Amino acid sequence: MNSMPDAGSTVEIDEEKAAALTHDAREALERHFGFREFLSGQERVVSALVSGRDAMVVMPTGGGKSLCYQLPALVMNGVTLVVSPLIALMKDQVDALERRGIAATVINSTLSPGEQQERIRQMADGMYKLVYVAPERFRSRVFMDALKQVPIALFAVDEAHCLSQWGHDFRPDYLRLAAAVAELGHPQTAAFTATATPTVRDDIQKTLALTDPFISVSGFERPNLSLRVVQCEKKKTKFTRMRAVINAHRTGIVYCATRRNVEEVAESIASWGVKVMAYHGGMSDGEREQAQTSFIDGSFDVAVATNAFGMGIDRSDVRFVIHFEVPGSLEAYYQEAGRAGRDGEPAVCELLFNYADTRTQEFFISGNNPGYPLICDVYEKLRERADAKNEVILPLRQLADQVGAKNDMGVGSALSTLARAGAVQRFDVSGTRTRGTRLLRPELDASQLDIDREALAEKEQRDHSKLQAMVKFCYDHGCRQEWILTYFGEPNPTTCGNCDSCLSGQPSSGGKGGAAAGSGGSRGSARRRAPDDEELMIAQKALSGVARASNRDADGNWAGRFGKGKIVGMLVGSQSKEIIAARLDQLSTHGLLKSEGTAYVQILLRELEYAGLLETQMGDYPLLTLTAQGAKVMRGNREFELRWPDRSHIAHATTPVASGGGAIASIESGLEEVALDSGLLAALKEKRTELARDEGNKPAYTIFADATLEFFARLRPKTTDAGLRIRGVGPTKAEKYLEHFLEIIREWKG
Ligand code: ADP
Ligand code: ZN
């Protein structure tokens, strides 16, 4: 067995023993599950568990986590307890195990008390290898006592991020697990999750008191997904993009941040004649279940949904996932995007980004983080309203009105915090959707409650950082896949060659994900070079323009005041209403780069940002400002490299091109643009179809995207070198396909 890069583990596995077990494990894999090979990460986890170690396993949804504990369960002595919050999925898992002749069962609230007792007794008699339980089971004394009678081989906690307050799916019942594990005398314990950043991972590890766990992060790489972020200034652009994606790929999911948008988007899609269904939390359980089932069975092609949709969605032929708005975190984004292409075939994930949408996420963050004063107000209101049984039954909306809160979500979160602090208990009221609240310690006033104010503040801070990382991801131009892998802490991430950045020939800067995602970094590109004198001057003019449009604090840090659009307008001397209203025409830098033209200045600023001389900061709007390095260059330092836009093509750059993009491509490639010849384009497309067919009917766009073929037709590269300078042509594709296209272009007589 090769020793895997298990960051964080200090004890080496006994190699010899592990090798023997691994051999057995492979054989067992085939015998019990009918699989010939392990999926990424499974084998090393199985070995670690069989050798008796605790483990912390991070794998994406669909990565094959269950097998990691199911297989060891078969060869270990005693029962493997599997804790999972997804009662609906437990039954499927148990059925599947039973079909394979493995003794497994589930003990949960869907059983009658009689049945539960019966199964607990059978478990104590050692009749099962695997027992699935929901976390609330550990509240039961009877259950705990029964557990103490059985040897526990493994305590497996699935969806373990639910026990971290930093996770997006915290469940108070999960906190009970730590005490349960302790009471059972710390049996071997393993935590499994799909969405764990290093912080969440540490939290899980501490909470469950894992002993020197084997840590494994694997399987996040999804080479068949083409991740893309499309900047959408207007809502109309979003609809246009969405329609194009649906037309091209047919089956998929559109995620929206709010119910209102789900309804609006679903309606539009329906009006295009597409079989579409909507799904959100405002629907009844029955309606939701039916919607989910009819998407899975293929009655609908497109699902439009809030993030409530998809836990355990098992439709493997999802060809696209669109995010109509930016999600609140990369964890959420990737989990949702990851529902595309589970069959391993190519799929696209497109995020329609508009900075203004971050406000919706900010609203959710404030709803999820009510703040200490509101928590106290809610508590005192409950005490005031409680009946003789110390209960309050009041819809959230009304409770919110009574404490003068704008956002009922905040009140709901306050109640959860109070529940976690042991101050109240929530209960279902039969026949209504309103939940009741019972005061557990009515004699205490708010100030006497055990509420960790520091932790609350810290959580809010983290939610903001997660959103910020998400936004940085959207603005970044490195490889999307690599960014995500770094964020999740996968060792040695590589670029994917398949995302929008890779396809546009922007090589990655490496290791930009997560907390490290800062400004710029180095961008490897053939055409990066130091400035000549004239270019240095231009860069300095641009930088001083940005400096004039920024504030600087006493410590010398820069803070942006304007977005990129306004700064470009200022630099080229625009006299538009917005520029004048912002008084940008009053700055001495107004019009400083007038002779260079808007298209040039836009590209220049973008390149300066890639090079780490400028950065985008978050505020109500994205604001452009200088970095410390940019300030140095402004003052004369010339130690930097840029992909300099070619100034000799400015004339072409400013001629509008019908399909858009051509002008910029022309500047980027340094090729002269000619009018689009539809005959040539058709010939190129025909060649592409032919190549795709030769490669076993690959989807044509995986050869070259439509936009790339259009650039070929407009820019007519005739040499490999020229072709390589066009967006969407990387070295690999150039080697495989480019010559076929160059040949057509060279011979074209149009
Ligand atoms: P997770 O819990 O990580 O979301 P599952 O455990 O449900 O993922 O596994 C996802 C799918 O992969 C299941 O259909 C499972 O049968 C399949 N699978 C698991 N391990 C293997 C393997 N070694 N080879 C082939 N398929 C596997
Ligand atoms: Zn990439």
Side-chain angles (χ1 to χ4, degrees), residues 564-565 568-569 571-572 593 596-608 645 664:
K564 201 177 278 174
V568 171
L571 284 168
V572 300
L593 292 178
E596 310 301 328
T598 306
Y600 179 90
V601 175
Q602 265 169 353
I603 298 174
L604 179 69
L605 293 189
R606 192 186 71 191
E607 293 299 331
L608 288 168
I664 292 193

Side-chain angles (χ1 to χ4, degrees), residues 479-481 495-499 502:
C479 172
R480 308 264 175 218
Q481 179 79 84
T495 52
C496 72
N498 197 15
C499 68
C502 286

Side-chain angles (χ1 to χ4, degrees), residues 163-164 174-175 177-179 202-210:
L163 61 72
S164 169
Y174 259 70
L175 285 183
L177 298 182
D202 290 347
D203 207 22
I204 294 171
Q205 204 171 316
K206 270 198 219 104
T207 311
L208 286 177
L210 301 182

Side-chain angles (χ1 to χ4, degrees), residues 141 166 168 172 459 481 495 587 682:
R141 215 44 266 163
W166 316 133
H168 58 276
K459 174 172 178 300
Q481 179 79 84
T495 52
L587 296 182

